[in-house]
Amino acid sequence: EKTKQNRTEWLQTYPSTAEGFQSWCGYMDGKSLKDETKSDLIDDKVRSLFKKIPCHGDFYRYTQWHNLALEVMEDLDLPTLVVHYENYERNYEGAVDTILDFLELPRNNPLPEFIAGKRYKSLYFSGKQRLAALELIRYLADEETWELLERYDDTTELEDKAAEEEAP
């Protein structure tokens, strides 16, 4: 997007690399630090975890969005369908058909190509950062939210990776 806008200075400061991502997160985290430090709505445990997670505000918003979406669905008794990325990877056409059936819509056109396998978590976050992010999500998540998200809890694998990162 920034390339399209010819924002070469921005891209030099925050290149599309792990380091550029970490720099961008540092900038964004710094912008919110003052408000987070003073807020009575954020407890000490959350503040402590924030310090360990680049772009921590996004993890906070991600968890809160799930908490609130599930609460609204329950309060309004809305019919819901949960679809995970892995559903597309395992059976793309089946996942699309499930969504269309849920929405009571026909499939009118051929499906666009789906390229499976996009994973970014280990490219942009260290094992320690991912462990802290999982701890934050687990701490903030309502029971129903955690049931929905716990499939992504790879804590054991991450603890091993974090230990490797610390080894000389």
Side-chain angles (χ1 to χ4, degrees), residues 67-154:
N67 286 340
L68 295 170
L70 290 170
E71 185 179 326
V72 167
M73 290 183 323
E74 183 178 325
D75 288 350
L76 299 179
D77 196 27
L78 296 173
T80 58
L81 174 68
V82 175
V83 181
H84 293 277
Y85 177 82
E86 295 81 13
N87 298 115
Y88 291 98
E89 281 190 319
R90 280 193 293 273
N91 182 358
Y92 177 49
E93 284 197 33
V96 171
D97 288 339
T98 298
I99 294 167
L100 291 172
D101 288 345
F102 177 77
L103 297 172
E104 299 177 0
L105 295 171
R107 186 192 304 183
N108 294 326
N109 299 302
L111 296 177
E113 180 183 9
F114 174 73
I115 301 170
K118 293 182 181 181
R119 298 278 191 276
Y120 302 104
K121 61 185 181 183
S122 60
L123 293 175
Y124 295 100
F125 295 95
S126 71
K128 288 173 76 172
Q129 291 167 338
R130 289 173 54 205
L131 275 170
L134 271 170
E135 187 177 348
L136 177 69
I137 291 168
R138 201 177 304 117
Y139 181 74
L140 295 172
D142 294 339
E143 184 177 336
E144 296 83 12
T145 297
W146 183 245
E147 286 175 14
L148 191 66
L149 300 176
E150 71 181 329
R151 67 186 351 204
Y152 302 109
D153 183 352
D154 53 355

Side-chain angles (χ1 to χ4, degrees), residues 42-75:
I42 300 172
D43 67 31
D44 290 340
K45 178 171 178 140
V46 171
R47 275 192 204 93
S48 172
L49 288 167
F50 276 2
K51 293 176 185 173
K52 300 176 185 178
I53 307 166
C55 288
H56 60 264
D58 292 314
F59 289 98
Y60 183 88
R61 285 186 292 277
Y62 174 83
T63 308
Q64 290 301 93
W65 184 91
H66 281 82
N67 286 340
L68 295 170
L70 290 170
E71 185 179 326
V72 167
M73 290 183 323
E74 183 178 325
D75 288 350

